[in-house]
Amino acid sequence: MIEFKYGSFLLLCTTMLLPAFASAQDAEERSYLAVRQVTTHASGTQTWVEQQAKLAAAHKENGDPARHVWQQAVGELDTFHIVTFPEAIGGGGGEGPALGEEWAAVISPTVQSRRTHMNLRYPDLNIPGGEDQEFIHLRYTYVAPGKNNAYHAWLRDKIIPALKAGGAEGVTVSRVILGGDTNTWVMARRMANPAVLNEPGPMAELSDEERAELFAGYSDIVWGTEVRILRFRADLSNDGPEEE
C-alpha cells in the first residue's frame, strides 16, 4: 500500500537532471543496478518462467555477467524484478544471448507490462551480510523535491547506525536515476522468510524518546513509502562467471 501526503503531485519530480546525482559519489565509488520489472499475464506466468529458465541456462553456458531474478511474494505475484549490474549509466537491462525468434515468439505474449529503471547504489549506506537469505524486503521511499541530500544524510547519520546497533544485516540502499522518479530511494534488507517481519525489528529496543529523536524532521523530507516482499528465483538467475 502506498502512503502519500501529496498524492499524484509526485509525478512532477520525474524531470530531475543528471547532475543532481552525479556529484553524490566519486566516480570510482559509483555502482549501479538496472532493474526490469515485468508483470506477466496470469495465464502466461508458467510459460514465462520456463523460458526464463532456458535463458538462465544460456547465460551460465556463455559465462555472462550476473543476472538475478526476484518474484514478488506478496501482492502482485505475477511481477518479477530482473536485476543486472552495469558498470556505467545506461548499461545493462538487456535479455542477453538471443535464443532465436521461436523463443521470442513464445515469451512475448506472456508479458502484460514491463519497465526498466537504473539505480545508483550508495556504499556508505550498506550493511553487509545476509547473502544467503532467500527473501528481500524492499522499502520504496518517495522524497520531497530538493530533499535528497537531507534524506541521504539522515540515513547515513541516524538510520544506518541504529540498524547496525540493532544487529541488522544485508541492507543496501539505492536511488532511481533513470527511468523513473529520481526522488525514489530503495532500501533493501535480506531476510530468511516473511515471518521475520512478525519479530521485533532491529530498532525495537529504542525508547520513545530515542525514536522521536531519530525521526525528527522525517515528515518534512518524506512524502510516502511502499513496501514489497520478493523471493529470489535461483532457477531463473545467473551469478556470473566463476572467479579464477
Side-chain angles (χ1 to χ4, degrees):
M1 178 178 296
I2 304 176
E3 303 168 20
F4 290 127
K5 287 178 64 180
Y6 300 109
S8 60
F9 183 72
L10 179 66
L11 297 176
L12 296 177
C13 304
T14 59
T15 57
M16 299 292 285
L17 299 177
L18 293 182
F21 66 79
S23 61
Q25 300 173 12
D26 293 333
E28 62 271 17
E29 294 182 345
R30 295 178 196 153
S31 61
Y32 306 95
L33 301 173
V35 183
R36 173 175 293 185
Q37 295 184 26
V38 176
T39 299
T40 61
H41 296 288
S43 60
T45 299
Q46 184 58 41
T47 298
W48 188 89
V49 167
E50 292 170 355
Q51 297 304 312
Q52 289 298 315
K54 292 181 180 180
L55 183 59
H59 277 298
K60 292 175 182 178
E61 183 177 352
N62 290 357
D64 291 326
R67 179 180 183 272
H68 293 168
V69 179
W70 298 79
Q71 182 177 9
Q72 290 194 188
V74 179
E76 299 176 351
L77 303 182
D78 298 317
T79 295
F80 299 81
H81 297 230
I82 303 170
V83 182
T84 55
F85 308 89
E87 295 182 357
I89 296 173
E95 287 298 290
L99 297 184
E101 294 181 1
E102 182 178 349
W103 181 85
V106 171
I107 201 169
S108 292
T110 69
V111 176
Q112 183 180 82
S113 66
R114 70 182 73 191
R115 58 170 296 190
T116 299
H117 58 84
M118 175 166 281
N119 289 18
L120 173 68
R121 296 196 286 185
Y122 288 78
D124 59 334
L125 304 180
N126 289 353
I127 303 176
E131 290 82 2
D132 58 343
Q133 307 285 14
E134 183 181 1
F135 290 83
I136 196 165
H137 175 281
L138 297 181
R139 179 175 294 276
Y140 288 72
T141 298
Y142 306 102
V143 173
K147 296 292 186 178
N148 281 316
N149 287 341
Y151 183 72
H152 180 198
W154 178 70
L155 289 178
R156 182 193 62 220
D157 300 338
K158 293 187 176 183
I159 295 302
I160 294 299
L163 290 174
K164 287 181 178 179
E169 293 184 335
V171 176
T172 60
V173 178
S174 65
R175 180 164 68 93
V176 175
I177 58 173
L178 287 176
D181 179 359
T182 58
N183 297 305
T184 300
W185 293 68
V186 185
M187 176 178 284
R189 181 185 173 198
R190 301 293 290 262
M191 58 186 184
N193 55 69
V196 171
L197 298 176
N198 295 319
E199 302 173 0
M203 293 190 287
E205 299 300 320
L206 293 178
S207 66
D208 291 343
E209 291 76 14
E210 290 172 326
R211 191 176 299 275
E213 193 281 330
L214 192 65
F215 286 90
Y218 175 84
S219 60
D220 296 327
I221 299 173
V222 173
W223 278 8
T225 61
E226 179 181 3
V227 171
R228 301 178 192 176
I229 307 297
L230 276 59
R231 178 171 66 91
F232 183 60
R233 294 296 303 261
D235 56 327
L236 310 181
S237 301
N238 170 41
D239 287 332
E242 296 182 0
E243 296 183 3
E244 298 182 358

